Amino acid sequence: MENINKFQSLVILFMVALGILLGQIGFVQEYAEYLITPFLMVMLFLVFLQIPLKDILKSLKNLKFTLTAVIINFIWTPFLIFILGKIFLANYPELLIGYIMLMVTPCTDWYLIFTGIAKGNVALGSSILPLNLVLQLVLLPVYVFLIGGNSVDMNTIDLVKGVVSTLIIPLVCAILIRKIILNKISQEDFDEKVATKACDYQGYFLNAAIVSMFASQGKILLENIQVLLILLIPVLLFFIINFCVGRLVGKVMKLSYEDNVSLNLTTLARNSPIALAIAVATFPDKPLISLALIIGPLIELSVLFIIAKILLNIRSKKIDIIEN
C-alpha cells in the first residue's frame, strides 16, 4: 500500500477517467451514486480500525510539539483558509465549502508515508494522529458554519446526520472490532496482520468511491473542468504559506530536523476522505463540493512529494555542513 499511497495522485487520475468512462453506460450512471456512501463508510471504518484512540494521551508526552501542531492545524490554518477562500473563491460558493472542508482537516494516514520519505520522526508524527482525528471530527462542522455558512444553503440537522452516518458509525464499529480482536491477539500481531490489511483495503474502497462518484457525476465535471484551475491557486498558496510557517515555527521552537519534518507534514497533509464522506452525505445535491474534495488531492499529493524532496535536500545540506 505504501507504493500506492506514494502515487495516489496518479491512481486518483486513473479512477476519475475510469469513472467518467463507465458513466457513459446508462444504468451505471443511474445507480453509481448509491454506492458512494457505502464505499466511503467501509473505507473510513478501515482507517479508524488502524488508529489507537486510547493512545491520545501519548501525544501529550511531547507537549511542545503537540501544542504547536494543534495551534497551527486548528487555529492558524482555519484563519488562513478563511482569508484565502474569501479572496479566491468568494464567487464560487460550492467550491468554497469544498475548499474549507478539505483544508481544515489534518491528514490521518498518508502524511506518515511522506514523513518517512523525508527522514522525519514518524513515531512523533504518529503520536498526534488520534488527537488530530478527534479534534477534526468535533471542529469540522464548526469551521464549515463559521467560514462558509452563508455560502450555500446549509441545514444543521443534515450536517449532523452526515457526520453521524458517515463518521460516528464507522468510528464506533472500528473501536468495538479493534477491542474484540485485541482481546484475542497481541498488539504486534494486530499491527502486522490486521492493520496492514486494513491499510491496503482502505485505498481500494476510496478508489471505488471515486469511480462511483465520477460515474454518476462525470458529466458535471466535464461541464465544469475549470474547477481544477479555480482551486489551483488557493490550494498551492495554502501549501506554500504553511510550509514556510512550519519551518519558521520549528526553527523558533528549536526542533530537530526530524521533529520539524513531522511538524511540517502533519500541518500540510489534508484528510480528504473524511471530508468527502461528510460532503456526500450532507450535500448530495451539490456535487461541486464533492468534486473539489477529489480534485484537491490531485494537487496535494504532488505537492507533498515535492516538499518531501525539498526537506531531504535541506537535510543533505545540514549533513554536509556538519561534516565539513
Side-chain angles (χ1 to χ4, degrees), residues 78-104 140 143-152 154 227 230-231 234-235 275 279 283 286-293:
F79 174 74
L80 175 62
I81 295 311
F82 172 79
I83 300 299
L84 293 176
K86 292 301 182 182
I87 293 174
F88 294 99
L89 300 173
N91 296 325
Y92 307 96
E94 292 185 22
L95 294 185
L96 175 60
I97 295 296
Y99 179 69
I100 294 167
M101 295 182 74
L102 173 65
M103 291 305 182
V104 299
L140 177 58
Y143 293 141
V144 171
F145 275 108
L146 289 181
I147 303 176
N150 296 324
S151 301
V152 298
M154 198 180 317
V227 167
I230 294 171
L231 287 172
V235 170
F283 307 106
K286 295 180 174 61
L288 284 182
I289 295 177
S290 297
L291 289 177
L293 289 162

Side-chain angles (χ1 to χ4, degrees), residues 260-272:
N260 203 354
V261 167
S262 297
L263 179 66
N264 272 137
L265 272 301
T266 194
T267 54
L268 285 174
R270 302 291 93 187
N271 202 352
S272 54

Side-chain angles (χ1 to χ4, degrees), residues 16 44 52 61 101 126 139 174 208 275 313:
V16 168
L44 289 175
K61 290 182 178 179
M101 295 182 74
S126 300
L139 294 176
N313 188 49

Side-chain angles (χ1 to χ4, degrees), residues 224-235:
N224 296 273
I225 198 66
Q226 74 278 10
V227 167
L228 180 59
L229 296 177
I230 294 171
L231 287 172
L232 184 61
I233 293 178
V235 170

